[in-house]
């Protein structure tokens, strides 16, 4: 389950030449720390001793890593940030909130095997022949979810991009999401 934890001003205590806030990972997944008003000297310290630098963009500092609860973490900075959020994006899995009330098909993600790749690729090719870009993008998205690193998925991505290069007027709002999906680093 994804979670957001606010590190309040009271969480920041003096440590060395600066301040630090300690917290426990709120679950399993991809953790991001977002500190408004922090600078590049801020660091995220993991329980295993690994120290991660923050990236600063427009007055906000960001750091992230994969965590397993209840890992103890610490953020250090020269001064307390104006606002600090700890965001956890849970890895895909069954939802404990929905499991009790909703059907299993809704509360747990559907698991499909690699055998669906060929059918999904055929669906994408048919959509491209009909100039239905939205359906083609949806099929490629399914392939990326099924088996991102599979050669068939990589070939389908290339085929869709080649098709778009041959048909420059075939455009849609989903192309931005395609670029984001293709360049995303899996967690």
């Amino acid at each position: 389950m994804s979670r957001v934890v606010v590190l309040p001003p009271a969480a920041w205590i003096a440590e060395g030449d600066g301040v630090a806030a300690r917290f426990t990972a709120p679950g399993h997944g991809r953790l991001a720390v977002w500190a408004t008003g922090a600078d590049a000297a801020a660091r995220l310290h993991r329980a295993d001793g690994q120290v991660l630098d923050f990236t600063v963009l427009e007055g906000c500092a960001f750091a992230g890593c994969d965590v397993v609860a209840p890992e103890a973490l610490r953020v250090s900075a020269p001064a307390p940030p104006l606002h600090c959020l700890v965001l956890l994006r849970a890895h895909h899995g069954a939802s404990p909130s929905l499991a009790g009330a909703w059907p299993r098909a809704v509360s747990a993600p559907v698991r499909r095997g690699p055998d669906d790749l060929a059918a999904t690729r055929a669906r994408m090719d048919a959509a491209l022949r009909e100039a239905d870009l939205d359906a083609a993008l949806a099929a490629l998205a399914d392939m990326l979810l099924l088996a991102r690193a599979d050669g068939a998925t990589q070939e389908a991505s290339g085929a869709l991009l080649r098709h778009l290069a041959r048909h420059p007027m075939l455009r849609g709002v989903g192309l931005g999401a395609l670029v984001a999906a293709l360049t995303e680093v899996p967690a």
Side-chain angles (χ1 to χ4, degrees):
M1 174 183 309
S2 297
R3 295 194 176 112
V4 176
V5 176
V6 177
L7 293 179
W12 297 89
I13 57 172
E15 184 177 282
D17 293 339
V19 294
R22 297 177 190 284
F23 62 96
T24 304
H28 304 296
R30 183 76 180 158
L31 182 90
V33 179
W34 175 16
T36 304
D39 60 20
R43 304 284 183 266
L44 176 62
H45 304 266
R46 302 201 52 188
D48 63 3
Q50 181 183 17
V51 179
L52 303 169
D53 294 331
F54 276 69
T55 301
V56 179
L57 298 169
E58 295 294 324
C60 293
F62 304 90
C65 61
D66 288 320
V67 294
V68 176
E71 181 178 348
L73 299 140
R74 179 173 56 96
V75 177
S76 65
L82 300 173
H83 303 285
C84 188
L85 296 175
V86 175
L87 308 159
L88 179 79
R89 183 183 60 124
H91 292 304
H92 297 292
S95 167
S97 302
L98 298 177
W102 289 30
R104 186 169 181 259
V106 174
S107 64
V110 177
R111 301 229 188 270
R112 292 183 265 182
D115 54 330
D116 290 339
L117 286 177
T120 307
R121 172 63 191 267
R123 203 175 64 212
M124 184 191 90
D125 291 338
L128 288 176
R129 281 191 299 277
E130 297 170 11
D132 185 356
L133 182 60
D134 290 335
L137 291 172
L140 181 59
D142 285 346
M143 292 183 78
L144 288 168
L145 287 172
L146 285 170
R148 178 183 220 24
D150 191 278
T153 302
Q154 300 302 315
E155 167 54 32
S157 300
L160 185 107
L161 293 173
R162 285 189 300 276
H163 185 85
L164 291 172
R166 284 191 306 271
H167 303 279
M169 299 305 287
L170 183 63
R171 294 293 183 251
V173 295
L175 288 175
L178 170 69
V179 171
L182 291 175
T183 58
E184 177 185 42
V185 177

Short mmCIF file of all heavy atoms in Angstrom, two decimals, residues 49-112:
data_model
loop_
_atom_site.label_atom_id
_atom_site.label_comp_id
_atom_site.label_asym_id
_atom_site.label_seq_id
_atom_site.Cartn_x
_atom_site.Cartn_y
_atom_site.Cartn_z
N GLY A 49 24.32 1.75 5.98
CA GLY A 49 25.43 2.69 5.88
C GLY A 49 25.50 3.42 4.57
O GLY A 49 26.30 4.35 4.42
N GLN A 50 24.70 3.05 3.59
CA GLN A 50 24.69 3.73 2.30
C GLN A 50 24.15 5.16 2.48
O GLN A 50 23.16 5.38 3.18
CB GLN A 50 23.82 2.96 1.31
CG GLN A 50 23.76 3.57 -0.06
CD GLN A 50 22.81 2.80 -0.98
OE1 GLN A 50 21.98 2.02 -0.54
NE2 GLN A 50 22.92 3.05 -2.26
N VAL A 51 24.82 6.12 1.86
CA VAL A 51 24.40 7.52 1.94
C VAL A 51 24.02 7.98 0.53
O VAL A 51 24.81 7.85 -0.40
CB VAL A 51 25.53 8.41 2.50
CG1 VAL A 51 25.10 9.86 2.54
CG2 VAL A 51 25.94 7.93 3.89
N LEU A 52 22.82 8.50 0.39
CA LEU A 52 22.31 8.95 -0.91
C LEU A 52 22.21 10.47 -0.93
O LEU A 52 21.68 11.08 0.00
CB LEU A 52 20.93 8.34 -1.18
CG LEU A 52 20.87 6.81 -1.15
CD1 LEU A 52 19.45 6.33 -1.15
CD2 LEU A 52 21.64 6.24 -2.32
N ASP A 53 22.72 11.07 -2.00
CA ASP A 53 22.63 12.52 -2.17
C ASP A 53 21.23 12.90 -2.63
O ASP A 53 20.54 12.12 -3.28
CB ASP A 53 23.64 12.99 -3.22
CG ASP A 53 25.07 12.80 -2.77
OD1 ASP A 53 25.33 12.84 -1.55
OD2 ASP A 53 25.94 12.62 -3.65
N PHE A 54 20.84 14.11 -2.33
CA PHE A 54 19.59 14.66 -2.81
C PHE A 54 19.85 15.40 -4.12
O PHE A 54 20.92 15.96 -4.32
CB PHE A 54 19.00 15.65 -1.80
CG PHE A 54 18.19 15.00 -0.72
CD1 PHE A 54 18.78 14.20 0.25
CD2 PHE A 54 16.82 15.21 -0.65
CE1 PHE A 54 18.04 13.61 1.24
CE2 PHE A 54 16.07 14.63 0.35
CZ PHE A 54 16.67 13.82 1.30
N THR A 55 18.87 15.40 -4.99
CA THR A 55 18.90 16.19 -6.22
C THR A 55 18.02 17.41 -5.98
O THR A 55 16.89 17.28 -5.51
CB THR A 55 18.34 15.38 -7.40
OG1 THR A 55 19.14 14.20 -7.56
CG2 THR A 55 18.35 16.18 -8.68
N VAL A 56 18.53 18.59 -6.29
CA VAL A 56 17.79 19.82 -6.04
C VAL A 56 17.25 20.37 -7.36
O VAL A 56 18.00 20.54 -8.32
CB VAL A 56 18.69 20.88 -5.36
CG1 VAL A 56 17.92 22.16 -5.12
CG2 VAL A 56 19.23 20.33 -4.05
N LEU A 57 15.94 20.63 -7.38
CA LEU A 57 15.27 21.23 -8.53
C LEU A 57 14.31 22.30 -8.02
O LEU A 57 13.39 22.00 -7.26
CB LEU A 57 14.47 20.18 -9.31
CG LEU A 57 15.25 19.04 -9.92
CD1 LEU A 57 14.31 17.97 -10.43
CD2 LEU A 57 16.11 19.54 -11.06
N GLU A 58 14.54 23.54 -8.43
CA GLU A 58 13.62 24.64 -8.11
C GLU A 58 13.27 24.71 -6.62
O GLU A 58 12.11 24.81 -6.25
CB GLU A 58 12.34 24.52 -8.93
CG GLU A 58 12.52 24.67 -10.41
CD GLU A 58 12.95 26.06 -10.82
OE1 GLU A 58 12.50 27.03 -10.21
OE2 GLU A 58 13.76 26.16 -11.76
N GLY A 59 14.25 24.63 -5.75
CA GLY A 59 14.01 24.80 -4.32
C GLY A 59 13.53 23.55 -3.60
O GLY A 59 13.24 23.60 -2.41
N CYS A 60 13.39 22.45 -4.31
CA CYS A 60 12.99 21.18 -3.69
C CYS A 60 14.12 20.17 -3.86
O CYS A 60 14.76 20.13 -4.90
CB CYS A 60 11.73 20.63 -4.33
SG CYS A 60 10.28 21.62 -4.03
N ALA A 61 14.33 19.38 -2.84
CA ALA A 61 15.36 18.35 -2.90
C ALA A 61 14.68 16.99 -2.87
O ALA A 61 13.72 16.79 -2.14
CB ALA A 61 16.32 18.50 -1.73
N PHE A 62 15.21 16.05 -3.67
CA PHE A 62 14.61 14.73 -3.80
C PHE A 62 15.68 13.66 -3.65
O PHE A 62 16.79 13.81 -4.16
CB PHE A 62 13.96 14.55 -5.18
CG PHE A 62 12.95 15.58 -5.51
CD1 PHE A 62 13.32 16.75 -6.17
CD2 PHE A 62 11.63 15.41 -5.17
CE1 PHE A 62 12.40 17.72 -6.49
CE2 PHE A 62 10.69 16.37 -5.49
CZ PHE A 62 11.07 17.54 -6.14
N ALA A 63 15.34 12.57 -2.97
CA ALA A 63 16.20 11.39 -2.90
C ALA A 63 15.28 10.18 -2.85
O ALA A 63 14.15 10.27 -2.36
CB ALA A 63 17.11 11.43 -1.69
N GLY A 64 15.76 9.04 -3.34
CA GLY A 64 14.92 7.85 -3.33
C GLY A 64 15.71 6.57 -3.35
O GLY A 64 16.88 6.56 -3.73
N CYS A 65 15.06 5.49 -2.92
CA CYS A 65 15.66 4.16 -2.92
C CYS A 65 14.56 3.13 -2.68
O CYS A 65 13.45 3.49 -2.30
CB CYS A 65 16.74 4.05 -1.84
SG CYS A 65 16.14 4.32 -0.17
N ASP A 66 14.87 1.88 -2.92
CA ASP A 66 13.96 0.79 -2.58
C ASP A 66 14.16 0.42 -1.13
O ASP A 66 15.30 0.36 -0.65
CB ASP A 66 14.21 -0.43 -3.47
CG ASP A 66 13.75 -0.20 -4.90
OD1 ASP A 66 12.67 0.41 -5.07
OD2 ASP A 66 14.44 -0.63 -5.83
N VAL A 67 13.07 0.19 -0.41
CA VAL A 67 13.15 -0.13 1.02
C VAL A 67 12.28 -1.33 1.35
O VAL A 67 11.37 -1.69 0.61
CB VAL A 67 12.71 1.06 1.90
CG1 VAL A 67 13.67 2.22 1.77
CG2 VAL A 67 11.30 1.49 1.60
N VAL A 68 12.59 -1.93 2.47
CA VAL A 68 11.80 -3.01 3.05
C VAL A 68 11.52 -2.61 4.50
O VAL A 68 12.45 -2.25 5.23
CB VAL A 68 12.55 -4.35 2.99
CG1 VAL A 68 11.76 -5.45 3.68
CG2 VAL A 68 12.86 -4.73 1.55
N ALA A 69 10.26 -2.62 4.90
CA ALA A 69 9.90 -2.25 6.27
C ALA A 69 10.48 -3.28 7.23
O ALA A 69 10.59 -4.45 6.88
CB ALA A 69 8.39 -2.18 6.42
N PRO A 70 10.92 -2.93 8.36
CA PRO A 70 10.96 -1.62 9.01
C PRO A 70 12.36 -1.02 8.99
O PRO A 70 12.93 -0.73 10.04
CB PRO A 70 10.51 -1.94 10.42
CG PRO A 70 11.13 -3.29 10.69
CD PRO A 70 11.13 -4.00 9.35
N GLU A 71 12.93 -0.81 7.82
CA GLU A 71 14.27 -0.23 7.72
C GLU A 71 14.30 1.15 8.38
O GLU A 71 13.43 1.98 8.16
CB GLU A 71 14.71 -0.11 6.26
CG GLU A 71 16.12 0.46 6.12
CD GLU A 71 16.61 0.56 4.69
OE1 GLU A 71 15.97 -0.02 3.79
OE2 GLU A 71 17.63 1.21 4.48
N ALA A 72 15.32 1.38 9.20
CA ALA A 72 15.52 2.68 9.85
C ALA A 72 16.30 3.59 8.91
O ALA A 72 17.35 3.19 8.40
CB ALA A 72 16.25 2.51 11.16
N LEU A 73 15.79 4.78 8.68
CA LEU A 73 16.41 5.74 7.79
C LEU A 73 16.60 7.07 8.52
O LEU A 73 15.95 7.34 9.52
CB LEU A 73 15.54 5.95 6.55
CG LEU A 73 15.33 4.69 5.72
CD1 LEU A 73 13.92 4.61 5.22
CD2 LEU A 73 16.30 4.66 4.58
N ARG A 74 17.48 7.90 7.96
CA ARG A 74 17.75 9.20 8.55
C ARG A 74 18.02 10.19 7.43
O ARG A 74 18.70 9.87 6.45
CB ARG A 74 18.97 9.09 9.47
CG ARG A 74 19.38 10.37 10.14
CD ARG A 74 20.50 10.12 11.17
NE ARG A 74 21.66 9.47 10.62
CZ ARG A 74 22.76 10.10 10.19
NH1 ARG A 74 22.84 11.40 10.27
NH2 ARG A 74 23.77 9.42 9.70
N VAL A 75 17.46 11.38 7.55
CA VAL A 75 17.73 12.47 6.62
C VAL A 75 18.55 13.50 7.38
O VAL A 75 18.16 13.92 8.48
CB VAL A 75 16.44 13.12 6.10
CG1 VAL A 75 16.74 14.30 5.20
CG2 VAL A 75 15.59 12.11 5.35
N SER A 76 19.69 13.89 6.82
CA SER A 76 20.50 14.94 7.45
C SER A 76 20.58 16.13 6.51
O SER A 76 20.56 15.98 5.29
CB SER A 76 21.89 14.41 7.77
OG SER A 76 22.59 14.09 6.58
N ALA A 77 20.66 17.33 7.10
CA ALA A 77 20.74 18.56 6.32
C ALA A 77 21.38 19.64 7.19
O ALA A 77 21.39 19.52 8.42
CB ALA A 77 19.34 18.99 5.89
N PRO A 78 21.90 20.68 6.57
CA PRO A 78 22.48 21.77 7.35
C PRO A 78 21.43 22.49 8.20
O PRO A 78 21.73 22.98 9.28
CB PRO A 78 23.05 22.72 6.29
CG PRO A 78 23.21 21.90 5.07
CD PRO A 78 22.16 20.84 5.14
N ALA A 79 20.18 22.59 7.69
CA ALA A 79 19.08 23.24 8.41
C ALA A 79 17.80 22.48 8.09
O ALA A 79 17.70 21.82 7.05
CB ALA A 79 18.96 24.69 7.98
N PRO A 80 16.80 22.55 8.97
CA PRO A 80 15.54 21.86 8.68
C PRO A 80 14.88 22.41 7.43
O PRO A 80 14.85 23.63 7.23
CB PRO A 80 14.67 22.15 9.91
CG PRO A 80 15.57 22.68 10.95
CD PRO A 80 16.76 23.24 10.26
N PRO A 81 14.37 21.55 6.56
CA PRO A 81 13.65 22.04 5.38
C PRO A 81 12.30 22.64 5.80
O PRO A 81 11.82 22.39 6.90
CB PRO A 81 13.46 20.79 4.53
CG PRO A 81 13.58 19.66 5.47
CD PRO A 81 14.46 20.11 6.60
N LEU A 82 11.71 23.43 4.91
CA LEU A 82 10.41 24.02 5.20
C LEU A 82 9.34 22.94 5.36
O LEU A 82 8.51 23.00 6.25
CB LEU A 82 10.01 25.00 4.09
CG LEU A 82 10.96 26.18 3.88
CD1 LEU A 82 10.55 26.97 2.66
CD2 LEU A 82 10.99 27.04 5.13
N HIS A 83 9.36 21.97 4.44
CA HIS A 83 8.43 20.84 4.46
C HIS A 83 9.20 19.61 4.04
O HIS A 83 10.05 19.68 3.15
CB HIS A 83 7.26 21.04 3.48
CG HIS A 83 6.48 22.28 3.72
ND1 HIS A 83 5.58 22.41 4.75
CD2 HIS A 83 6.46 23.47 3.05
CE1 HIS A 83 5.06 23.62 4.71
NE2 HIS A 83 5.57 24.28 3.69
N CYS A 84 8.89 18.48 4.65
CA CYS A 84 9.56 17.24 4.26
C CYS A 84 8.54 16.11 4.25
O CYS A 84 7.87 15.84 5.26
CB CYS A 84 10.70 16.92 5.22
SG CYS A 84 11.71 15.53 4.65
N LEU A 85 8.41 15.46 3.10
CA LEU A 85 7.49 14.33 2.93
C LEU A 85 8.27 13.08 2.61
O LEU A 85 9.23 13.12 1.84
CB LEU A 85 6.51 14.59 1.79
CG LEU A 85 5.54 15.74 1.94
CD1 LEU A 85 4.74 15.91 0.65
CD2 LEU A 85 4.60 15.48 3.09
N VAL A 86 7.83 11.97 3.16
CA VAL A 86 8.36 10.66 2.82
C VAL A 86 7.23 9.96 2.07
O VAL A 86 6.14 9.78 2.60
CB VAL A 86 8.75 9.86 4.07
CG1 VAL A 86 9.18 8.46 3.70
CG2 VAL A 86 9.84 10.58 4.85
N LEU A 87 7.48 9.61 0.82
CA LEU A 87 6.47 8.99 -0.04
C LEU A 87 6.88 7.56 -0.32
O LEU A 87 8.03 7.30 -0.69
CB LEU A 87 6.36 9.76 -1.35
CG LEU A 87 6.15 11.27 -1.20
CD1 LEU A 87 6.56 12.00 -2.46
CD2 LEU A 87 4.73 11.55 -0.86
N LEU A 88 5.97 6.63 -0.15
CA LEU A 88 6.25 5.23 -0.45
C LEU A 88 5.29 4.76 -1.52
O LEU A 88 4.07 4.82 -1.34
CB LEU A 88 6.09 4.35 0.80
CG LEU A 88 6.33 2.87 0.52
CD1 LEU A 88 7.83 2.58 0.48
CD2 LEU A 88 5.67 2.00 1.55
N ARG A 89 5.84 4.32 -2.63
CA ARG A 89 5.04 3.69 -3.68
C ARG A 89 5.25 2.20 -3.53
O ARG A 89 6.34 1.68 -3.78
CB ARG A 89 5.46 4.15 -5.07
CG ARG A 89 4.56 3.56 -6.16
CD ARG A 89 5.06 3.98 -7.52
NE ARG A 89 6.41 3.50 -7.70
CZ ARG A 89 6.80 2.74 -8.71
NH1 ARG A 89 5.97 2.39 -9.64
NH2 ARG A 89 8.05 2.36 -8.80
N ALA A 90 4.21 1.52 -3.09
CA ALA A 90 4.32 0.10 -2.84
C ALA A 90 4.52 -0.66 -4.14
O ALA A 90 4.01 -0.27 -5.19
CB ALA A 90 3.06 -0.41 -2.13
N HIS A 91 5.30 -1.74 -4.06
CA HIS A 91 5.44 -2.60 -5.23
C HIS A 91 4.09 -3.26 -5.49
O HIS A 91 3.28 -3.43 -4.59
CB HIS A 91 6.51 -3.67 -4.98
CG HIS A 91 7.89 -3.11 -4.90
ND1 HIS A 91 8.46 -2.36 -5.89
CD2 HIS A 91 8.82 -3.19 -3.92
CE1 HIS A 91 9.68 -2.00 -5.55
NE2 HIS A 91 9.92 -2.48 -4.34
N HIS A 92 3.89 -3.62 -6.72
CA HIS A 92 2.60 -4.23 -7.08
C HIS A 92 2.36 -5.48 -6.26
O HIS A 92 3.25 -6.28 -6.04
CB HIS A 92 2.57 -4.57 -8.57
CG HIS A 92 2.69 -3.36 -9.43
ND1 HIS A 92 1.70 -2.42 -9.51
CD2 HIS A 92 3.69 -2.92 -10.21
CE1 HIS A 92 2.08 -1.45 -10.32
NE2 HIS A 92 3.28 -1.73 -10.77
N GLY A 93 1.16 -5.63 -5.82
CA GLY A 93 0.78 -6.79 -5.04
C GLY A 93 -0.68 -6.64 -4.64
O GLY A 93 -1.35 -5.68 -4.99
N ALA A 94 -1.17 -7.59 -3.91
CA ALA A 94 -2.56 -7.57 -3.47
C ALA A 94 -2.79 -6.39 -2.53
O ALA A 94 -1.95 -6.07 -1.71
CB ALA A 94 -2.91 -8.88 -2.78
N SER A 95 -3.92 -5.76 -2.65
CA SER A 95 -4.27 -4.64 -1.80
C SER A 95 -4.94 -5.15 -0.54
O SER A 95 -6.02 -5.74 -0.60
CB SER A 95 -5.23 -3.70 -2.54
OG SER A 95 -5.79 -2.79 -1.63
N PRO A 96 -4.35 -4.90 0.65
CA PRO A 96 -5.00 -5.37 1.87
C PRO A 96 -6.30 -4.63 2.14
O PRO A 96 -7.20 -5.17 2.77
CB PRO A 96 -3.96 -5.08 2.96
CG PRO A 96 -3.02 -4.11 2.38
CD PRO A 96 -3.08 -4.26 0.89
N SER A 97 -6.45 -3.42 1.65
CA SER A 97 -7.67 -2.65 1.87
C SER A 97 -8.83 -3.21 1.06
O SER A 97 -9.96 -3.26 1.53
CB SER A 97 -7.47 -1.18 1.48
OG SER A 97 -6.43 -0.64 2.22
N LEU A 98 -8.53 -3.60 -0.18
CA LEU A 98 -9.60 -4.07 -1.04
C LEU A 98 -9.88 -5.56 -0.89
O LEU A 98 -10.96 -6.02 -1.24
CB LEU A 98 -9.24 -3.78 -2.50
CG LEU A 98 -9.07 -2.31 -2.87
CD1 LEU A 98 -8.64 -2.21 -4.33
CD2 LEU A 98 -10.35 -1.55 -2.63
N ALA A 99 -8.94 -6.30 -0.37
CA ALA A 99 -9.06 -7.76 -0.32
C ALA A 99 -10.29 -8.22 0.45
O ALA A 99 -10.90 -9.22 0.11
CB ALA A 99 -7.80 -8.37 0.28
N GLY A 100 -10.66 -7.49 1.50
CA GLY A 100 -11.79 -7.93 2.32
C GLY A 100 -13.14 -7.70 1.68
O GLY A 100 -14.09 -8.43 1.97
N ALA A 101 -13.27 -6.72 0.80
CA ALA A 101 -14.58 -6.37 0.30
C ALA A 101 -14.77 -6.59 -1.19
O ALA A 101 -15.89 -6.84 -1.63
CB ALA A 101 -14.86 -4.89 0.63
N TRP A 102 -13.72 -6.48 -1.96
CA TRP A 102 -13.87 -6.55 -3.40
C TRP A 102 -13.52 -7.94 -3.91
O TRP A 102 -12.77 -8.67 -3.29
CB TRP A 102 -12.97 -5.53 -4.06
CG TRP A 102 -13.44 -4.12 -3.87
CD1 TRP A 102 -14.13 -3.62 -2.81
CD2 TRP A 102 -13.23 -3.04 -4.75
NE1 TRP A 102 -14.36 -2.30 -2.98
CE2 TRP A 102 -13.83 -1.90 -4.16
CE3 TRP A 102 -12.62 -2.91 -5.97
CZ2 TRP A 102 -13.82 -0.67 -4.78
CZ3 TRP A 102 -12.61 -1.66 -6.58
CH2 TRP A 102 -13.21 -0.56 -5.99
N PRO A 103 -14.01 -8.28 -5.10
CA PRO A 103 -13.64 -9.58 -5.69
C PRO A 103 -12.13 -9.65 -5.91
O PRO A 103 -11.47 -8.63 -6.06
CB PRO A 103 -14.37 -9.59 -7.03
CG PRO A 103 -15.41 -8.54 -6.93
CD PRO A 103 -14.94 -7.54 -5.92
N ARG A 104 -11.60 -10.84 -5.91
CA ARG A 104 -10.16 -11.04 -6.04
C ARG A 104 -9.60 -10.40 -7.32
O ARG A 104 -8.50 -9.87 -7.33
CB ARG A 104 -9.84 -12.53 -6.03
CG ARG A 104 -8.36 -12.80 -6.01
CD ARG A 104 -8.09 -14.27 -5.72
NE ARG A 104 -6.67 -14.48 -5.70
CZ ARG A 104 -5.98 -15.00 -6.71
NH1 ARG A 104 -6.59 -15.39 -7.79
NH2 ARG A 104 -4.68 -15.14 -6.62
N ALA A 105 -10.38 -10.40 -8.38
CA ALA A 105 -9.91 -9.82 -9.64
C ALA A 105 -9.67 -8.32 -9.52
O ALA A 105 -8.87 -7.77 -10.25
CB ALA A 105 -10.93 -10.09 -10.75
N VAL A 106 -10.34 -7.67 -8.60
CA VAL A 106 -10.16 -6.24 -8.42
C VAL A 106 -9.08 -5.95 -7.38
O VAL A 106 -8.26 -5.05 -7.53
CB VAL A 106 -11.49 -5.57 -8.00
CG1 VAL A 106 -11.29 -4.11 -7.68
CG2 VAL A 106 -12.52 -5.74 -9.10
N SER A 107 -9.06 -6.73 -6.30
CA SER A 107 -8.14 -6.44 -5.20
C SER A 107 -6.72 -6.90 -5.46
O SER A 107 -5.80 -6.42 -4.83
CB SER A 107 -8.65 -7.06 -3.90
OG SER A 107 -8.68 -8.47 -4.01
N ALA A 108 -6.52 -7.84 -6.36
CA ALA A 108 -5.17 -8.33 -6.68
C ALA A 108 -4.90 -8.11 -8.16
O ALA A 108 -5.80 -8.27 -8.99
CB ALA A 108 -5.05 -9.81 -6.34
N PRO A 109 -3.68 -7.74 -8.51
CA PRO A 109 -3.39 -7.52 -9.93
C PRO A 109 -3.46 -8.82 -10.73
O PRO A 109 -3.20 -9.90 -10.19
CB PRO A 109 -1.96 -6.98 -9.92
CG PRO A 109 -1.38 -7.39 -8.62
CD PRO A 109 -2.52 -7.52 -7.66
N VAL A 110 -3.84 -8.69 -11.97
CA VAL A 110 -3.94 -9.85 -12.85
C VAL A 110 -2.53 -10.28 -13.24
O VAL A 110 -1.71 -9.47 -13.64
CB VAL A 110 -4.76 -9.50 -14.11
CG1 VAL A 110 -4.81 -10.66 -15.05
CG2 VAL A 110 -6.15 -9.06 -13.70
N ARG A 111 -2.25 -11.55 -13.15
CA ARG A 111 -0.95 -12.07 -13.56
C ARG A 111 -1.14 -12.81 -14.88
O ARG A 111 -1.92 -13.74 -14.98
CB ARG A 111 -0.41 -13.04 -12.51
CG ARG A 111 -0.26 -12.39 -11.16
CD ARG A 111 1.10 -12.69 -10.60
NE ARG A 111 1.24 -12.26 -9.24
CZ ARG A 111 1.66 -11.05 -8.89
NH1 ARG A 111 1.94 -10.18 -9.80
NH2 ARG A 111 1.78 -10.73 -7.62
N ARG A 112 -0.43 -12.33 -15.89
CA ARG A 112 -0.50 -12.97 -17.20
C ARG A 112 0.87 -13.48 -17.56
O ARG A 112 1.88 -12.91 -17.17
CB ARG A 112 -0.97 -11.96 -18.24
CG ARG A 112 -2.41 -11.56 -18.04
CD ARG A 112 -2.85 -10.63 -19.11
NE ARG A 112 -2.68 -9.28 -18.61
CZ ARG A 112 -3.00 -8.19 -19.29
NH1 ARG A 112 -3.48 -8.30 -20.49
NH2 ARG A 112 -2.83 -7.01 -18.78
#
